[in-house]
Amino acid sequence: MKNTIQTILICLTTLLASVIIASGLGNVIKEKRTVSVRGLAEREVPADMAVWKLQFSLGGNDLPSLQKEIISKTKIVTEFLSDYGLTEEDYTVKAPEITDTSVELYIDSSRQKFVYVAKQIVFVRSAKVNEVKLANTKTLELLGKGISVTTDYDTKVNYEFNGLNQIKPEMIALATQNAREAAEQFARDSHSKVGKIMNASQGLFSIEDAAPGLEDLKKVRVVTTVVYSLAD
């Protein structure tokens, strides 16, 4: 009988201690309420670099004559660029690529007008975006001087934006502010208050054309994910 009573007391004591501990832990490890939101920041910026592979082809039946023709026509092209405000610092004249059609296995030399065909490239890479853009629209002038500029996907002007580091801090701040506004709206809907930031991550910046036909205007975009605590 004595042993039974002792056993019952031990069980009750253990149970009571478990209840007390569970209650205490419940107060200490109270589940925190949070909300995870995304903030978006977008900005349109002008391109700050233009890249243009100005390419034209020439033909001839002897190399010395072709050499003189390449030099003459290349000079016309560089003077054309100079007329639109581009200097030697803005372009590089590449070495011409010469094809001998008489020894090319995949070319029917009997149907070729010239024995030698030269491809000449003047590679333009300049921060003078407006000047390059204007010159590109005026290449018809070169046609009148016997130069046919190649126009295809590989030779179109590509516009770039390299000033991302200058606008990064402000855009991240705007994205974070946008996330805060979203969190506050959620808090109002749930009758809560937004607390401190629990966690945050920055997404990748993307740079795209603002719209088709507006390749010289870029849209910069970033998305941040922020986790806020919520309080009653």
Side-chain angles (χ1 to χ4, degrees), residues 37 72 83 161 212:
V37 291
S72 174
D83 290 340
F161 176 67

Side-chain angles (χ1 to χ4, degrees), residues 108-176:
D108 185 356
S109 59
S110 64
R111 301 181 63 182
Q112 293 294 318
K113 182 179 178 180
F114 300 108
V115 176
Y116 303 103
V117 176
K119 181 173 72 175
Q120 180 65 67
I121 295 173
V122 179
F123 189 79
V124 181
R125 187 174 187 275
S126 173
K128 300 175 183 176
V129 175
N130 292 332
E131 287 83 346
V132 175
K133 184 179 180 181
L134 181 59
N136 179 251
T137 64
K138 299 294 185 179
T139 52
L140 194 62
E141 296 176 10
L142 292 173
L143 191 62
K145 298 178 181 180
I147 300 173
S148 178
V149 176
T150 303
T151 54
D152 55 24
Y153 180 83
D154 192 43
T155 59
K156 73 174 185 177
V157 180
N158 290 311
Y159 297 96
E160 303 172 355
F161 176 67
N162 298 312
L164 182 59
N165 287 336
Q166 283 70 43
I167 65 173
K168 258 186 179 182
E170 186 177 351
M171 289 197 65
I172 293 173
L174 289 173
T176 304

Side-chain angles (χ1 to χ4, degrees), residues 4-14:
T4 303
I5 294 174
Q6 288 179 341
T7 302
I8 293 173
L9 289 175
I10 292 172
C11 292
L12 289 174
T13 302
T14 303

Side-chain angles (χ1 to χ4, degrees), residues 27-230:
N27 291 328
V28 174
I29 314 175
K30 187 176 181 179
E31 183 179 357
K32 291 184 178 180
R33 297 168 57 209
T34 61
V35 59
S36 177
V37 291
R38 289 186 177 183
L40 169 66
E42 288 184 333
R43 174 178 290 186
E44 288 189 355
V45 294
D48 55 16
M49 184 66 65
V51 180
W52 178 23
K53 188 169 75 172
L54 199 168
Q55 176 181 309
F56 59 95
S57 297
L58 301 167
N61 292 317
D62 66 88
L63 291 175
S65 298
L66 182 60
Q67 180 192 33
K68 292 179 181 178
E69 186 77 358
I70 292 172
I71 294 172
S72 174
K73 293 297 174 63
T74 300
K75 183 179 179 182
I76 292 173
V77 170
T78 55
E79 288 176 346
F80 163 80
L81 294 175
S82 178
D83 290 340
Y84 287 96
L86 299 171
T87 68
E88 292 182 357
E89 295 179 353
D90 300 307
Y91 62 80
T92 302
V93 178
K94 300 291 187 179
E97 298 178 15
I98 311 296
T99 300
D100 185 344
T101 63
S102 66
V103 297
E104 287 288 333
L105 296 177
Y106 301 103
I107 295 180
D108 185 356
S109 59
S110 64
R111 301 181 63 182
Q112 293 294 318
K113 182 179 178 180
F114 300 108
V115 176
Y116 303 103
V117 176
K119 181 173 72 175
Q120 180 65 67
I121 295 173
V122 179
F123 189 79
V124 181
R125 187 174 187 275
S126 173
K128 300 175 183 176
V129 175
N130 292 332
E131 287 83 346
V132 175
K133 184 179 180 181
L134 181 59
N136 179 251
T137 64
K138 299 294 185 179
T139 52
L140 194 62
E141 296 176 10
L142 292 173
L143 191 62
K145 298 178 181 180
I147 300 173
S148 178
V149 176
T150 303
T151 54
D152 55 24
Y153 180 83
D154 192 43
T155 59
K156 73 174 185 177
V157 180
N158 290 311
Y159 297 96
E160 303 172 355
F161 176 67
N162 298 312
L164 182 59
N165 287 336
Q166 283 70 43
I167 65 173
K168 258 186 179 182
E170 186 177 351
M171 289 197 65
I172 293 173
L174 289 173
T176 304
Q177 179 182 343
N178 182 258
R180 178 82 184 191
E181 292 171 356
E184 288 176 347
Q185 180 61 54
F186 181 89
R188 284 192 294 270
D189 293 341
S190 61
H191 306 290
S192 305
K193 293 182 180 179
V194 177
K196 63 180 181 179
I197 294 177
M198 305 297 293
N199 190 21
S201 61
Q202 174 196 312
L204 294 176
F205 276 83
S206 64
I207 303 176
E208 302 174 348
D209 295 339
L214 290 176
E215 290 82 6
D216 57 325
L217 186 63
K218 301 297 181 181
K219 179 183 288 186
V220 184
R221 186 175 187 269
V222 66
V223 177
T224 60
T225 301
V226 186
V227 179
Y228 292 96
S229 64
L230 291 177

